[in-house]
């Protein structure tokens, strides 16, 4: 059995019963006029949907000493039906001895329909009808009814409106259906678009709004009432509360997803991130994009990756903006578009994302999506390098080494190469080795050159493998060893590095470190020649290849 939500806790002075057809246009202004005079009025048009007659109506009738029924034309015609809700309201009020005020609007009441129950005719007929002129003299006729009927009835009921209600009148507006409580006791239920009114006495009141469809969405505040004659608007905004709650729940899901991912449970990570991402969590959206990009926990799908990167990027998440730029640069999941790549790199770079700053520097360096501009190249590489980005540190070092965008400065170049090299960047390790090999920006030191070449070579960097092979071939920084030279040349050559392929041809031609083998020499020379190496083309021609 579903729990029943409490509805009526506050007392009312007047309950207005009416027929929707032809009566609601009369009930609403009458309610407003009575409330302006200090009375608490229940009108189910504000609280309930058509056709509802349940304990909430009964409680409202019980809570109001005065039962007012608007006898608009044909208002009683359907009362012949035992299930008619106007009939049930009148019968309940009669059974519970409410004080009746039948309203004859604009003298339009022509008598009781013949087929309604005699109890209704007798019950209503024994009371004086109050004529309320809605078309003209509205306020005057309401004044007369208040003076002659309402106040005397309330006094006989042992209460007066002003004695019991003294305070301010608030019209309550809300963006979500909710209950309004005062110090934990319910005042009313409010729905969007309704005109619900509460009265608060002068003083400070602790109020709370509790969302009907999710009690976790609630808002508390203290309402101060200064003027006993005040009428004001009370706006309750629960949607931001709900959004904050959902965002907090999504944050927890995103964190749980990261925990699962770090533990190697990619499927669980995807499940959690998907739920958080659908709730709008931008970190989860970016992480879900990564899963689709790398095929972790789901099948690799660049289009789906771009979809989630974009959602996070459009929320301003810098990592996702950089990732989306990367996809545009390479045409992963979208048509390749360097200008679009630059657009997203810049958004992330301007937020301080070091990877995006490096990528934007690369675009300026190569003229992709922007005009080639070495000064801008250096600007963005420097921003990333100063944040410790090893790739950018190496690139900034190369700008100093080559004099692109800055005055050539080998010392400054070696400084930045070293920063990146010490972070394990293989390209920077090779470049620092080159500085030591040739004495550029540092004191010439072949042993130190070999040290850095080896670090890069052992990471598989082909240029460093060829350079290390050269040191063994020439005996620079290490004891000369042709076999070791060939070993490192071969590693680089097998990666397609043309210079190393030429060196392999040379070693086979002359028998350095390997048995002399002209056919093998021609094979390696041809590989290098096909890659455009001019020395290899010349030697291949000499061998008749």
């Amino acid at each position: 059995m579903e729990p029943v939500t409490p509805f009526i806790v506050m007392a009312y002075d007047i309950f207005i019963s009416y027929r929707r057809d032809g009566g609601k246009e009369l009930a609403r202004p009458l309610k407003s006029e009575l409330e302006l005079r200090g009375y608490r009025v229940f009108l189910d048009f504000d609280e309930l949907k058509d056709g509802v007659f349940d304990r909430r109506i009964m409680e409202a009738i019980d809570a109001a000493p005065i039962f007012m029924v608007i006898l608009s034309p044909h208002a009683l015609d359907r009362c012949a039906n035992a299930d008619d809700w106007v009939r049930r309201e009148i019968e309940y009020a009669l059974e519970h001895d409410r004080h009746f005020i039948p309203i004859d609007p604009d003298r339009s009441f022509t008598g009781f329909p013949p087929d309604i129950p005699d109890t209704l005719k007798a019950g209503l007929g024994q009371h004086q009808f109050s004529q309320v002129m809605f078309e003209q003299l509205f306020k005057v006729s309401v004044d007369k009814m208040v003076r002659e009927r309402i106040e005397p009835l309330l006094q006989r009921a042992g209460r007066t409106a002003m004695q019991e209600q003294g305070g301010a009148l608030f019209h309550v507006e809300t963006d979500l259906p909710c209950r309004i409580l005062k110090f934990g006791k319910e005042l009313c239920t409010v729905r969007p678009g309704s005109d619900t009114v509460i009265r608060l006495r002068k003083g400070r009141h602790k109020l709370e709004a509790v969302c009907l469809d999710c009690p976790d969405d609630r808002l508390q505040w203290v309402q101060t009432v200064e003027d006993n004659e005040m009428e004001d608007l009370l706006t309750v905004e629960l949607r931001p509360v709900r959004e904050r709650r959902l965002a907090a729940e999504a944050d927890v899901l995103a964190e749980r997803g990261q925990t699962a991912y770090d533990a190697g449970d990619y499927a669980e990570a995807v499940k959690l991130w998907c739920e958080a991402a659908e709730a709008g969590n931008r970190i989860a959206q970016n992480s879900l994009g990564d899963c689709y990009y790398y095929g972790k926990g789901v099948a690799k799908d660049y289009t789906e990756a771009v979809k989630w990167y974009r959602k996070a990027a459009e929320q301003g998440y810098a990592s996702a903006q950089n990732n989306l730029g990367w996809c545009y640069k390479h045409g992963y999941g979208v048509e390749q578009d360097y200008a679009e790549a630059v657009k997203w790199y810049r958004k992330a770079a301007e937020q301080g994302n070091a990877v995006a700053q490096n990528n934007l520097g690369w675009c300026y360096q190569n003229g992709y999506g922007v005009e080639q501009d070495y000064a801008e190249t250096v600007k963005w590489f420097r921003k990333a390098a100063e944040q410790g980005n090893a790739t950018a540190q190496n690139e900034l070092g190369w700008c100093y080494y080559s004099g692109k965008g800055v005055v050539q400065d080998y010392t400054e170049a070696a400084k930045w190469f070293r920063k990146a090299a010490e972070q394990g960047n293989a390209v920077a390790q090779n470049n620092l080795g080159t500085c030591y090999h040739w004495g550029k920006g540092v004191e010439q030191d072949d042993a130190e050159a070999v040290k850095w070449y080896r670090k890069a070579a052992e990471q598989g960097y082909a240029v460093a493998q060829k350079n290390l092979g050269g040191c063994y071939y020439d005996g620079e920084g290490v004891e000369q060893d042709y076999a070791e030279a060939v070993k490192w040349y071969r590693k680089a050559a097998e990666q397609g590095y043309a210079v190393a392929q030429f060196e392999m041809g040379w070693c086979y031609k002359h028998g350095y470190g390997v048995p002399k083998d002209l056919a093998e020499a021609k094979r390696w020379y041809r590989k290098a020649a096909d890659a455009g190496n001019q020395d290899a083309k010349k030697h291949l021609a000499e061998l008749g290849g």
Side-chain angles (χ1 to χ4, degrees):
M1 182 175 180
E2 294 185 0
V4 178
T5 303
F7 182 70
I8 301 296
V9 173
M10 66 178 290
Y12 290 98
D13 296 297
I14 301 167
F15 180 101
I16 299 180
S17 178
Y18 65 100
R19 179 71 67 188
R20 294 282 191 276
D21 299 336
K24 69 178 181 180
E25 295 82 3
L26 308 175
R28 180 63 68 85
L30 180 58
K31 176 192 178 195
S32 297
E33 187 65 26
L34 291 170
E35 286 177 335
L36 288 174
R37 296 162 186 268
Y39 299 104
R40 286 179 289 188
V41 181
F42 181 89
L43 183 67
D44 66 353
F45 181 78
D46 292 326
E47 307 292 352
L48 306 170
K49 296 180 180 178
D50 286 351
V52 174
F53 186 93
D54 58 19
R55 71 172 189 82
R56 291 176 292 176
I57 289 288
M58 299 177 208
E59 288 180 349
I61 295 173
D62 287 339
I66 295 176
F67 183 87
M68 190 175 287
V69 56
I70 298 177
L71 300 176
S72 56
H74 308 292
L76 300 177
D77 289 358
R78 294 203 295 271
C79 288
N81 182 352
D83 292 329
D84 178 69
W85 60 271
V86 171
R87 171 176 167 174
R88 294 185 64 185
E89 287 179 352
I90 295 173
E91 288 178 336
Y92 187 87
L94 288 170
E95 291 170 3
H96 291 78
D97 298 322
R98 300 296 90 185
H99 299 278
F100 271 72
I101 301 182
I103 301 295
D104 179 5
D106 297 311
R107 297 189 177 94
S108 61
F109 183 72
T110 58
F112 297 112
D115 53 353
I116 68 171
D118 291 339
T119 54
L120 262 68
K121 294 179 185 178
L124 291 173
Q126 67 179 328
H127 296 285
Q128 175 187 349
F129 285 24
S130 286
Q131 295 180 350
V132 176
M133 314 305 290
F134 286 89
E135 294 184 358
Q136 295 180 346
L137 303 175
F138 179 54
K139 291 183 181 296
V140 172
S141 60
V142 172
D143 277 339
K144 184 175 186 296
M145 178 174 63
V146 167
R147 184 175 60 256
E148 295 180 357
R149 304 291 306 283
I150 294 176
E151 278 304 311
L153 286 173
L154 286 178
Q155 288 174 2
R156 286 201 300 273
R159 55 201 262 208
T160 66
M162 297 311 294
Q163 286 175 340
E164 192 168 314
Q165 299 170 2
L169 193 69
F170 290 90
H171 295 264
V172 186
E173 289 187 354
T174 180
D175 54 0
L176 294 175
C178 65
R179 299 161 54 215
I180 304 295
L181 293 80
K182 183 177 78 169
F183 294 108
K185 292 186 177 181
E186 184 172 318
L187 295 180
C188 61
T189 297
V190 190
R191 289 177 173 81
S194 70
D195 181 21
T196 302
V197 179
I198 62 173
R199 181 170 292 277
L200 299 174
R201 292 174 177 159
K202 184 176 181 179
R204 299 174 74 241
H205 305 268
K206 183 179 179 182
L207 301 182
E208 184 175 24
V210 181
C211 185
L212 288 180
D213 56 8
C214 184
D216 289 338
D217 300 327
R218 55 180 62 214
L219 182 66
Q220 291 184 339
W221 72 99
V222 173
Q223 186 71 39
T224 301
V225 179
E226 299 289 350
D227 183 359
N228 284 354
E229 302 301 323
M230 180 177 68
E231 182 177 10
D232 203 352
L233 176 66
L234 184 62
T235 301
V236 178
E237 295 184 353
L238 279 171
R239 201 172 297 278
V241 176
R242 170 169 295 182
E243 290 171 354
R244 286 194 295 272
R245 175 179 61 80
L246 292 175
E249 291 175 356
D251 286 344
V252 172
L253 289 170
E255 291 173 4
R256 288 174 56 198
Q258 188 63 55
T259 300
Y261 189 90
D262 293 341
D265 190 347
Y266 302 128
E268 181 67 11
V270 167
K271 174 185 172 184
L272 292 165
W273 278 336
C274 188
E275 190 175 347
E278 292 287 1
N281 184 279
R282 61 183 193 170
I283 296 175
Q285 289 168 343
N286 181 65
S287 297
L288 190 57
D290 284 342
C291 289
Y292 278 107
Y293 185 92
Y294 295 107
K296 298 285 191 179
V298 287
K300 183 180 287 190
D301 186 335
Y302 290 135
T303 301
E304 196 70 9
V306 166
K307 164 189 163 182
W308 289 108
Y309 286 151
R310 191 182 305 278
K311 286 181 181 289
E314 289 175 348
Q315 291 197 68
Y317 191 49
S319 294
Q321 291 170 337
N322 174 70
N323 291 339
L324 185 56
W326 179 265
C327 290
Y328 273 110
K329 174 188 170 184
H330 295 282
Y332 295 146
V334 288
E335 187 175 345
Q336 189 178 52
D337 188 333
Y338 291 122
E340 196 70 7
V342 167
K343 163 188 161 182
W344 289 106
Y345 282 154
R346 191 181 305 280
K347 287 179 180 290
E350 289 176 347
Q351 290 193 67
N353 184 281
V355 178
Q357 290 168 341
N358 175 72
N359 290 338
L360 186 56
W362 181 91
C363 290
Y364 276 109
Q365 185 182 50
N366 296 280
Y368 285 111
V370 287
E371 289 289 330
Q372 189 177 54
D373 187 331
Y374 290 120
E376 279 294 296
T377 297
V378 169
K379 165 188 166 182
W380 289 108
F381 281 155
R382 190 183 303 280
K383 286 180 180 290
E386 288 175 348
Q387 291 194 69
N389 184 276
T391 304
Q393 290 170 339
N394 175 68
E395 294 293 349
L396 183 57
W398 187 252
C399 290
Y400 277 109
Y401 193 91
S402 60
K404 297 287 189 179
V406 287
V407 176
Q408 191 176 52
D409 186 333
Y410 293 125
T411 301
E412 195 70 7
K415 165 188 143 182
W416 287 107
F417 287 150
R418 188 182 305 280
K419 287 180 181 289
E422 289 175 347
Q423 292 193 65
N425 184 282
V427 180
Q429 290 169 340
N430 176 74
N431 291 340
L432 184 57
T434 300
C435 289
Y436 276 109
H437 198 158
W438 302 105
K440 299 289 190 179
V442 291
E443 187 175 345
Q444 198 279 334
D445 187 331
D446 287 332
E448 196 69 9
V450 167
K451 164 188 165 183
W452 289 106
Y453 284 152
R454 190 182 304 280
K455 286 180 180 290
E458 289 175 347
Q459 292 193 66
Y461 186 51
V463 178
Q465 291 170 337
K466 179 267 171 189
N467 288 340
L468 182 57
C471 291
Y472 276 107
Y473 185 92
D474 295 321
E476 295 175 335
V478 289
E479 186 175 343
Q480 190 178 52
D481 186 332
Y482 291 131
E484 194 68 11
V486 169
K487 163 188 164 183
W488 289 105
Y489 285 153
R490 190 182 303 277
K491 288 179 181 290
E494 288 175 347
Q495 293 192 65
Y497 187 41
V499 178
Q501 291 170 338
F502 169 80
E503 297 293 355
M504 286 297 293
W506 177 268
C507 290
Y508 274 108
K509 177 181 178 182
H510 297 284
Y512 293 131
V514 288
K516 186 174 181 178
D517 186 334
L518 294 182
E520 193 67 7
K522 289 167 67 174
R523 184 173 79 86
W524 284 109
Y525 280 147
R526 187 172 292 110
K527 286 180 178 289
D530 289 345
N533 186 281
Q534 296 303 313
D535 289 335
K537 291 178 181 180
K538 184 177 72 172
H539 283 76
L540 186 61
E542 290 175 356
L543 293 176

